[in-house]
Amino acid sequence: MFKTIRLQCVAALIGSLLGGLLFGMRGSVSAALGGVACVLPSWLFALRLYAVTKRPGASYAAAFFVGELIKLALCIGLLAAVKQIYPDVHWGGVVIGLIVTLQANFFAFLVRT
């Protein structure tokens, strides 16, 4: 669970570098914000699932689906807040950061920790 979060952080850094190469400093900051909009909700979701596993008799399926709904809502809210936080946002950079960070989930099973 937390291995995926670490991979997402690395992917967000790669996305930020890629955004910087394509769009300059403005694109790099925007890509970093896009990555954070993905990593932060995932980290909170992983913490919530970890806490649920420590409770006896908890409904894991319900916790998963409610947590996933909250994660998606938080991700969308953070993306909407990006414009307020960084008025000079480059949306191409945000999309690059978000996509690269989301793709880290597919490679989590390849990395051994």
Side-chain angles (χ1 to χ4, degrees):
M1 189 164 32
F2 292 106
K3 173 175 69 169
T4 304
I5 305 302
R6 287 192 301 270
L7 286 173
Q8 281 185 339
C9 289
V10 171
L13 289 173
I14 292 169
S16 181
L17 290 173
L18 187 60
L21 287 173
L22 293 174
F23 304 116
M25 181 58 79
R26 187 174 143 218
S28 180
V29 172
S30 298
L33 288 172
V36 167
C38 178
V39 172
L40 183 62
S42 295
W43 178 68
L44 293 173
F45 178 58
L47 284 176
R48 178 169 162 48
L49 285 181
Y50 180 74
V52 167
T53 61
K54 298 300 176 186
R55 286 187 293 174
S59 173
Y60 302 120
F64 177 82
F65 287 116
V66 170
E68 187 67 27
L69 180 66
I70 292 170
K71 181 179 101 168
L72 290 173
L74 185 57
C75 184
I76 292 168
L78 287 172
L79 287 172
V82 164
K83 183 65 174 168
Q84 300 298 323
I85 294 169
Y86 187 55
D88 199 29
V89 67
H90 190 286
W91 288 105
V94 172
V95 170
I96 286 173
L98 189 64
I99 289 173
V100 170
T101 304
L102 286 172
Q103 295 308 310
N105 295 340
F106 295 113
F107 297 107
F109 67 92
L110 296 175
V111 178
R112 295 191 185 251
T113 57

